[in-house]
Amino acid sequence: MKKYFAMLLAAIMLLALAGCGGKTDEGTASQQTAPAASSSAAAPAASSEPAPAASAESTPAPAEQSASGGIAPASNGTLTVSKADIAVVVNGTSVPMPYSLKALESAGVPADADRDGIQLNAGDFFSANLYLDENEDYLLIPAYYNGGDSAVSIMDAEAEEITMTTYADAPQDQGVSIFGVSFGMSRSEVKALLGEPSNDSGDYVEWHIEVPDIAYEGTLSMYFTEDSDSAGVSQVDLTVFSK
């Protein structure tokens, strides 16, 4: 009888051990496959996003800058220009009409303390001789006019006429120009630049000026050292006025 119970107890223990072993294997398998499933789910999230394209939009293309075409050659002796063209260029700096004395000095025209105290009464004209060199052979001459009712300083006066002239027999460029014409430029070069003038008397030429954007007109005239095509510019006069 005891032997029978011992055999029965042994069989029960074997069945219990078999059940515990199966549960342990299942738990181990689930622990091994879980990390693999987690990593495989994360991988597509990193690779499925398209590459960012914002960098192309964040760097704008540089703006284009238009180069100045200069003054167009004359048509039938007339130069059609803009208000900005009605200027004298001094050492690369454009000083537009009305040719402020302060602006001319800032551009490099030598200052002269003697003229600082000059006053223009109402209706007065004053032609300022501005020497460009130490020998006083080259000048700029703005013709100032006081159209107001009270006196003004020469430093605040305005001009609608300006002249560049020289006493030199063989004019040389002084870094000053009007409409691109500088001292010493040959007659043939001037005509190639500005076109045929309305008046050509050999050593003297003249163009009519139209300034549509401010309803002005006037004249551009110049003298040469002689009447040959190789003669150099000795004087340029630019005058404009309201129509």
Side-chain angles (χ1 to χ4, degrees), residues 1 39 42 49 51 53 66-67 79 93 95 104 113 143-144 147 152 159 161 170 196 198 208 215 224:
M1 191 64 155
S39 61
E49 291 292 332
S66 59
L79 291 166
T93 299
V95 180
L104 289 168
Y144 294 111
V152 296
E161 178 181 351
E196 289 296 325
S198 58
H208 178 68
F224 300 90

Side-chain angles (χ1 to χ4, degrees), residues 51-226:
S55 59
E57 298 178 0
S58 61
T59 307
E64 294 184 1
Q65 296 181 353
S66 59
S68 172
I71 297 173
S75 174
N76 297 321
T78 296
L79 291 166
T80 301
V81 300
S82 69
K83 179 183 178 181
D85 296 322
I86 307 298
V88 57
V89 176
V90 181
N91 300 325
T93 299
S94 181
V95 180
M97 185 185 72
Y99 316 116
S100 160
L101 193 51
K102 292 178 183 178
L104 289 168
E105 290 180 356
S106 295
V109 173
D112 185 346
D114 291 340
R115 61 181 174 240
D116 291 351
I118 297 174
Q119 296 283 320
L120 274 68
N121 294 319
D124 280 356
F125 282 94
F126 184 84
S127 294
N129 292 333
L130 313 180
Y131 293 100
L132 301 174
D133 66 318
E134 292 182 355
N135 293 330
E136 298 185 350
D137 287 333
Y138 296 87
L139 299 87
L140 267 182
I141 309 174
Y144 294 111
Y145 171 66
N146 180 8
D149 297 328
S150 57
V152 296
S153 165
I154 187 67
M155 303 302 289
D156 298 318
E158 298 184 349
E160 294 181 339
E161 178 181 351
I162 192 164
T163 295
M164 48 185 278
T165 190
T166 181
Y167 303 120
D169 294 332
Q172 301 294 319
D173 184 10
Q174 301 295 308
V176 176
S177 64
I178 294 175
F179 283 14
V181 177
S182 57
F183 288 116
M185 183 179 286
S186 72
R187 184 176 183 276
S188 59
E189 289 174 327
V190 170
K191 293 178 72 174
L193 175 67
L194 299 179
E196 289 296 325
S198 58
N199 182 2
D200 187 345
S201 302
D203 63 348
Y204 173 84
V205 292
E206 180 180 298
W207 289 263
H208 178 68
I209 302 292
E210 287 287 342
V211 195
D213 57 344
I214 56 173
Y216 267 51
E217 63 179 340
T219 59
L220 171 70
S221 61
M222 60 191 72
Y223 288 90
F224 300 90
T225 53
E226 55 185 39

